[in-house]
Amino acid sequence: MADKEATVYIVDVGRSMGEKNQGRQQSDLEWAMLYVWDKITSTVATDRKTATLGVIGLRTVGTANELADEESFANISVLQDIKQTLLPDLQRLRTLIKVSKTNDGDAISAIVLAIQAITKYCKKLKYRRKIVLVTNGQGSLDIDDLSEITSKIKEDNIELVVLGVDFDDADYGFKEEDKDCSKAENEAILKSLADSCDGVFGTLAQAIEELGIPRLKMTRPVNSYKDQLTLGDPEQYDTAMSIDVERFPRTMIQRPASASQYVHRTDLSNRQASVSSSTTILPDVDAPGGDSSAPKTNGLAAVRNARSYQVEDDMAAGGKSDVTRDELAKGYEYGRTAVHISESDESITNLDTKAALEIVGFIPWNSYDRYMSMSTSNVIIAQKTNAKAILALSSLIHALLELESFAIARLVPKANKSPVLVLLAPSIEVDYECLLDVQIPFAEDVRSYKFAPLDRIVTVSGKVLKEHRNLPNEALSSAMSDYVDSLDLSSFGKDDDGNPTEYMQMTDTFSSVLHRIDQAVRWRAVHPEEPIPPPYDILTKFSKIPDDLEASSRIKLVKLTEAADVKKVPPKLRGRKRHRERVVPLSGLDVSALLATPRSKISPDNPIPEFRQMLETTEDPNGIVDAASQLISIIEKHVKDSFGDSNYDRVIAEMTALRVEMTEMEEPALWNDWLKKLKEKLKGDSLGAGRDELWWRIRKDKLGLVVKSEMDVSDIGDDEARQFLSK
């Protein structure tokens, strides 16, 4: 379980924050909010009730705080009390944080208010307390009670972070030229305060630059097994080994945020409570009773799925009757057959197991293949307060290491769980010893397949050929080896001292998909209308060959191209099916022509093969139009008869076949004209209500208009086709 957090952000919104400095295209406030919004949205994304934050506005036009009667606390407004922040709160803050028309306001007093807010909210409970001040250092500072403020921050164990716009930072290598004297004095005061509180003082440029570095998420591990590790049966034999151990995850798969489905609210849903998450759905201000002060947005409601079950019933209307889930029997898919199994039969297959970790054998290191690993890894340690178990497990670990062996164990994490086989590997570090485990397959799970060798060809007669047109010769193998060696990354990088080191180290590589989606989601939460910025450089750094390495290996690539006799393949010609020259056998007996049956009708049960057969037997334009019209009618009928999206996969396959064949037949107009009509029918609900998802599927599968770049006879341009699909 993560620690409870309480963070207060103090944002300077004074008039001077609206200026643009150091050649930036953004105002100082807009630039500073890149950091603040990133930190706030990261907290919101955790969706933890214990991750709370508050926001205080410094140098605001008005005054809104508990000490507003005192003069030193003027022009300071509490924009949000400490609480869990949700998406509606983000949108509200976005409307409140704007450049004000005054430069009055004391940053030290704002820190006092932040301390008071944290003390009031956290009381004496255990919290990670933090104050973040973002300012340009202009304005007046009241330093009369600075020592008392420092003592209070230390006493309450509050971390103070001061980030300044264009503050001097020798470690980062930035110094503002021609700095205003009052700003320089304020910088010195704030730096002294941060240093005396053991806090952090820095320039905002460095903080924003480091936003691109993905954050490591620290989690508290939860044990998945807490029992005994045994060798032999301790209940029957005194010589059996039994050690009290705990098992924790060592690596876990982190997946990107999943998408949720939402629809525009109807009048009905506006008057009813929605089950949607408050972290993702904004309030609908147009709804009756809606908050008119909330930021306006399109009202959304969560998609709620309803599942019904039907069985064939000749006596019921429509030949089917509804049944409840409890009336159904469970079945499993076996090939293309559904196999029924009753609860009584299924209970036999469930093993009556108890939690256990039993060593069943040992194998040498060199007999284990890495591809046998089937899961993420876990750590097995002795119980922390059991000295006897610690000593016993340490003996086992050292014995495995000295004998260069792995242990094979049967693991049942909890009672009545299915057993799995795990491989136990010894690991000895400077400050701890443990066993690493990973799941491996049972013998029944392994399938062995034989493939032809890559370095030789064995003929039917058993003759082995070392030279063949499908085998690389010595020159090609040598050229490929030289090219691969020229792309070696193991020593291409440089360390801090300039010595060669690995270029792409594990600690410097991050999942582009995971962190790019996270970046996009957090940006869109605060900037719903603005385009998403490009991915951070650190995410794309290793997606291409370094320029220096590419240049140095170019000569090797040229030699490899020559040795492999690489030639450019001409582009595939489209639209030649209609006027192709048919191959006639020398005997004059065309079996395909004899077996081909002229087809004039396409069956809805097998439309795609019959559509292609009909096109194969005609080159007459009227025949092509007739075949396309029949398939179009079948597609539209499948759409109209579809229960939800049940027929959408079939429709997409039929549309794909129609588009490909019309392109090959040089008749793109048939497809283009019909697709435009189909879009109108889907939008107009003439093929059934709620067919927007089918149009989304059409866009996803890129079944758009045939453009002129694909087919010369088409009169559709790329821009027109792109605009057609985007609407």
Side-chain angles (χ1 to χ4, degrees), residues 479-521:
M480 177 60 76
S481 177
D482 293 341
Y483 179 62
V484 171
D485 291 341
S486 68
L487 296 175
D488 184 16
L489 296 174
S490 61
S491 59
F492 183 74
K494 300 291 183 182
D495 59 14
D496 296 337
D497 299 327
N499 300 319
T501 186
E502 185 180 356
Y503 172 71
M504 189 176 171
Q505 296 190 18
M506 186 67 69
T507 54
D508 297 331
T509 56
F510 303 93
S511 170
S512 301
V513 174
L514 179 69
H515 297 292
R516 174 58 174 165
I517 291 179
D518 178 64
Q519 176 194 6
V521 170

Side-chain angles (χ1 to χ4, degrees), residues 327-365:
E327 297 179 78
L328 300 176
K330 186 176 292 186
Y332 293 91
E333 186 177 5
Y334 185 74
R336 301 184 63 182
T337 306
V339 180
H340 159 262
I341 181 171
S342 62
E343 291 186 6
S344 58
D345 292 336
E346 187 176 13
S347 63
I348 300 175
T349 64
N350 296 329
L351 299 177
D352 185 14
T353 58
K354 61 180 182 179
L357 179 58
E358 305 165 341
I359 296 177
V360 296
F362 300 91
I363 60 171
W365 289 355

Side-chain angles (χ1 to χ4, degrees), residues 105 163 199 262 381 480-481 588:
L163 297 175
Y262 299 99
I381 60 174
M480 177 60 76
S481 177

Side-chain angles (χ1 to χ4, degrees), residues 574-575 655-676 695 698 702-722 724-725:
R574 304 292 299 273
M655 291 181 64
T656 302
L658 179 61
R659 189 183 191 278
V660 170
E661 295 299 331
M662 289 302 99
T663 304
E664 295 287 350
M665 287 292 181
E666 298 182 353
E667 293 289 351
L670 287 174
W671 164 265
N672 292 340
D673 294 343
W674 172 71
L675 187 62
K676 294 176 182 178
W695 182 248
I698 293 172
K702 299 180 180 179
L703 296 176
L705 301 172
V706 178
V707 296
K708 193 172 184 64
S709 58
E710 292 182 84
M711 179 63 56
D712 291 337
V713 297
S714 175
D715 57 355
I716 303 297
D718 292 340
D719 293 338
E720 180 182 352
R722 193 179 303 111
F724 174 78
L725 267 187

